[in-house]
Amino acid sequence: MFRITDEPIDPAACRRALEAPAAGGFVAFEGWVRDHNEGRAVVALEYEAYATLAEQEGERILEEARQRFEVERVGAVHRTGRLAVGDLAVWVGASAAHRDAAFAACRYVIDELKRRVPIWKREHYADGSAAWVGGVGHEHPAG
Amino acid sequence: MFRITDEPIDPAACRRALEAPAAGGFVAFEGWVRDHNEGRAVVALEYEAYATLAEQEGERILEEARQRFEVERVGAVHRTGRLAVGDLAVWVGASAAHRDAAFAACRYVIDELKRRVPIWKREHYADGSAAWVGGVGHEHPAG
Amino acid sequence: MEKQIDVHYYALFRDLRGKDRETLTTRAATPRALYDELGMGGAFRLDTRAFRVAVNDAFASWDAPLRHGDLVVFIAPTAGG
Amino acid sequence: MEKQIDVHYYALFRDLRGKDRETLTTRAATPRALYDELGMGGAFRLDTRAFRVAVNDAFASWDAPLRHGDLVVFIAPTAGG
């Protein structure tokens, strides 16, 4: 299941939802707020989602992973709101009979999620400024 | 840190040990006891380790991962003793600034661990028989 | 033909526009025309390789026909995870 | 020269040998010679591509010299994880 939430993500609960007796391998990816980006000190991140479309597109990605790889279960949760350094922003997991499929599915979901799901983040820097992350930035218009 | 234990593995505790402010990505692999192998119904697994050498070789693998990939932290724990279907047999985790390194390091450690670390498993089947898993089996000598 | 279109803004576009949402009375036939009409082209000239658009909560073509009552959302490059 | 060698058995080898460990008095100069002497070659002829050996808790060559008091462990193909 793909979920957008403004509450803290519980990785243990996410993991339990992917248990299956036929699964011998499980791979999880977690995105954590790190203290730097492109050489700048980051103190917080703010995530915003276009929730309706994000959940639809996220479900589509999970379904693609189920079709492409021999998995038992896949799931993902993305947090929104303001997060501090060390906080869990996104959780992706896949269980499968064999580890190849679990690794491949987990990687596929996080890569596609980052590319396609309408979620944005604004970085807050140690110097008090902030900027949306992506192809264009408020502070440095691409125009 | 690489650890062999005959107690249940706590994935939440393992994960906490890899937290680092500079880490933006975290990947974990878990090996679960699955209910089948090569077409046979499996009811339990029994893991046995040559603990002294296993811990040395495991530490060597973690150190190789730290050298090869841009990771913050890597760790692994392997369980020994008799495990039931669904139990956690091995946990491997890697945190890194970027997800590429976290995925690569986690994959490297589990692959090398399976190949090199002196741990063996015996499968117990639904029909009451059992066999060591590997290149040769007690029930079907390679001789 | 004149029609009413709801537009919701997220992230960068909300900052640029200074609001979450608005209902526009427009003759724009497509999302592309609506985007140009909003005059965001100065700082953020439409880059259809990087930007996407959704109509009624589904990804849509920049050249899809807009109908009275449609909901449009402009989607800047995403950065989840 | 006759010497005493400790041998510890794990997994498959413990089952084959019917014990965890033993101290052997032997003239075997190398782990390879010791393995042959134990007579496990019938069911499990030494396959040096698949089997490994440890001497004093470190991986060793099948042709390393054995010394009095050494600890030897034969390592069947592993299957952790």
Side-chain angles (χ1 to χ4, degrees):
Chain A
M1 205 193 63
F2 189 91
R3 212 156 45 84
I4 302 284
T5 178
D6 57 3
E7 301 285 314
I9 298 170
D10 176 357
C14 295
R15 172 187 179 282
R16 271 195 303 277
L18 302 195
E19 289 177 358
F26 164 77
V27 174
F29 171 81
E30 298 184 11
W32 297 345
V33 177
R34 68 167 190 265
D35 63 5
H36 65 284
N37 192 29
E38 295 181 4
R40 298 190 70 176
V42 171
V43 294
L45 286 184
E46 205 184 320
Y47 284 95
E48 185 176 339
Y50 172 10
T52 312
L53 186 52
E55 294 196 334
Q56 275 177 39
E57 190 68 2
E59 281 294 350
R60 198 170 295 133
I61 291 166
L62 295 182
E63 185 52 33
E64 290 166 9
R66 287 181 203 108
Q67 299 292 325
R68 282 168 191 245
F69 309 104
E70 292 277 323
V71 291
E72 288 296 316
R73 300 191 183 181
V74 291
V77 184
H78 204 297
R79 176 91 184 269
T80 55
R82 189 178 173 108
L83 278 72
V85 170
D87 283 351
L88 175 53
V90 59
W91 188 95
V92 173
S95 61
H98 301 284
R99 70 187 185 286
D100 270 346
F103 271 101
C106 185
R107 184 68 201 247
Y108 180 81
V109 171
I110 184 61
D111 286 356
E112 294 299 302
L113 186 161
K114 281 174 175 272
R115 203 167 64 79
R116 291 161 49 186
V117 175
I119 298 174
W120 301 271
K121 71 178 161 203
R122 175 149 48 186
E123 290 179 340
H124 292 263
Y125 305 107
D127 64 8
S129 66
W132 291 103
V133 176
V136 292
H138 199 179
E139 299 179 323
H140 306 283
Chain B
M1 206 193 62
F2 188 92
R3 212 156 44 83
I4 302 284
T5 179
D6 58 2
E7 301 285 313
I9 298 170
D10 176 358
C14 294
R15 171 186 180 281
R16 271 195 303 277
L18 302 195
E19 288 177 358
F26 164 78
V27 174
F29 170 81
E30 298 185 9
W32 297 345
V33 177
R34 67 167 190 265
D35 63 4
H36 65 284
N37 192 29
E38 296 181 2
R40 298 190 70 178
V42 170
V43 294
L45 286 184
E46 204 184 322
Y47 283 94
E48 185 177 338
Y50 173 9
T52 313
L53 185 53
E55 294 196 335
Q56 277 176 37
E57 190 69 4
E59 280 295 351
R60 198 170 296 133
I61 291 167
L62 295 181
E63 185 53 32
E64 289 167 9
R66 287 183 202 106
Q67 298 294 325
R68 283 170 190 242
F69 309 105
E70 293 276 322
V71 291
E72 289 296 317
R73 300 191 182 180
V74 291
V77 184
H78 204 297
R79 175 91 182 270
T80 55
R82 189 178 172 110
L83 279 71
V85 169
D87 283 351
L88 175 52
V90 59
W91 188 95
V92 173
S95 61
H98 301 285
R99 70 188 185 284
D100 271 345
F103 272 101
C106 184
R107 183 69 202 247
Y108 180 80
V109 171
I110 185 60
D111 286 356
E112 294 298 302
L113 186 161
K114 281 175 175 271
R115 204 167 64 79
R116 291 160 51 184
V117 175
I119 298 173
W120 300 272
K121 72 178 160 203
R122 176 152 43 189
E123 290 179 342
H124 293 263
Y125 305 107
D127 65 9
S129 66
W132 292 102
V133 176
V136 292
H138 199 178
E139 300 180 323
H140 306 285
Chain C
M1 202 188 69
E2 215 160 62
K3 55 196 168 257
Q4 292 196 316
I5 300 290
D6 289 317
V7 189
H8 291 187
Y9 300 104
Y10 292 93
L12 186 62
F13 284 117
R14 193 190 49 245
D15 288 359
L16 282 172
R17 195 66 184 165
K19 58 182 87 169
D20 280 292
R21 57 183 61 197
E22 62 188 323
T23 300
L24 298 169
T25 300
T26 178
R27 291 182 177 278
T30 64
R32 185 189 302 273
L34 184 67
Y35 188 93
D36 289 342
E37 192 179 298
L38 284 168
M40 291 190 289
F44 290 91
R45 197 176 48 224
L46 180 60
D47 176 353
T48 52
R49 287 163 312 179
F51 295 1
R52 288 176 295 169
V53 66
V55 177
N56 302 329
D57 292 334
F59 289 114
S61 158
W62 283 101
D63 300 309
L66 282 184
R67 293 184 185 83
H68 180 79
D70 278 350
L71 164 65
V72 171
V73 178
F74 300 116
I75 298 172
T78 58
Chain D
M1 204 188 70
E2 215 160 61
K3 56 198 170 256
Q4 290 196 319
I5 300 290
D6 289 318
V7 190
H8 290 186
Y9 300 104
Y10 291 92
L12 186 62
F13 285 117
R14 193 189 50 245
D15 288 359
L16 281 173
R17 195 66 183 164
K19 59 183 84 171
D20 280 291
R21 56 183 61 200
E22 62 189 321
T23 301
L24 298 169
T25 301
T26 178
R27 292 184 176 277
T30 64
R32 185 190 301 274
L34 185 67
Y35 189 93
D36 289 342
E37 192 179 298
L38 284 168
M40 291 190 288
F44 290 92
R45 196 176 48 223
L46 180 60
D47 176 352
T48 53
R49 288 164 310 180
F51 295 1
R52 288 177 296 170
V53 66
V55 177
N56 302 329
D57 292 334
F59 289 114
S61 158
W62 283 100
D63 299 310
L66 282 184
R67 293 182 186 84
H68 179 77
D70 278 351
L71 165 67
V72 171
V73 178
F74 300 117
I75 298 172
T78 59

